[in-house]
Amino acid sequence: MAHAENDLTINRSPEDVFAFLADGLNNAAWRSGIQSIALKTGTPGAVGAIYAQTLSGPGGRPITGDYEITAADPGRRLDFQVVAGPARPAGTYHLSEATGGTTVRFSLDLEPKGLMKVVGPMIARTMRAEVDQLGTLKRVLESA
């Protein structure tokens, strides 16, 4: 299984951080690989909402990476599952109160199958790069 995880503290309330993360349209503000994103179905930030996103793949080629929100506990936890595209990791944002803000732990997990096992190391690097973007999330939220 490929796994990547990162955490940091953001000087905003858990409710503010959750609200920002739950609205997938905000992804473009802090995730560098987003080429486009739109709410496909459902209510923003609610379980069952599906976001259609196009990501920068190898060589900058566009790839699909649609995801569905699978759990939403405001101020505490947001889970999602990628439902379209070549790699389909599951992700979780765990939020907890910290002195002066919120500690965010972002984790991604993927069980490679078939040919995906061959490109496992590349997938692991991509997942690591994704969770490492929490620093950008911190800058965006603290400057708002």
Side-chain angles (χ1 to χ4, degrees):
M1 173 180 290
H3 175 81
E5 187 173 305
N6 193 14
D7 63 71
L8 56 67
T9 299
I10 297 173
N11 294 323
R12 296 287 297 267
S13 73
E15 294 76 21
D16 287 348
V17 175
F18 180 88
F20 187 84
L21 290 170
D23 184 353
L25 300 180
N26 291 323
N27 286 347
W30 69 279
R31 293 181 50 223
S32 64
I34 301 288
Q35 291 183 0
S36 66
I37 189 159
L39 180 63
K40 188 173 181 179
T41 63
T43 302
V47 171
I50 296 176
Y51 287 88
Q53 63 180 355
T54 302
L55 308 167
S56 295
R61 290 178 307 157
I63 59 171
T64 301
D66 299 0
Y67 71 92
E68 179 177 1
I69 294 177
T70 57
D73 185 1
R76 293 193 174 103
R77 182 178 176 142
L78 182 70
D79 293 5
F80 64 90
Q81 174 68 52
V82 176
V83 295
R88 299 184 182 192
T92 300
Y93 298 100
H94 290 276
L95 310 176
S96 57
E97 279 193 56
T99 303
T102 303
T103 297
V104 179
R105 182 171 32 113
F106 179 21
S107 62
L108 289 170
D109 291 292
L110 175 69
E111 184 66 50
K113 295 180 172 103
L115 290 176
M116 283 295 223
K117 291 180 180 180
V118 175
V119 294
M122 182 179 76
I123 291 169
R125 281 192 302 276
T126 301
M127 289 171 51
R128 179 81 235 158
E130 278 292 319
V131 299
D132 284 348
Q133 292 186 76
L134 278 182
T136 305
L137 175 66
K138 177 180 175 72
R139 285 190 296 280
V140 168
L141 283 172
E142 289 182 355
S143 67

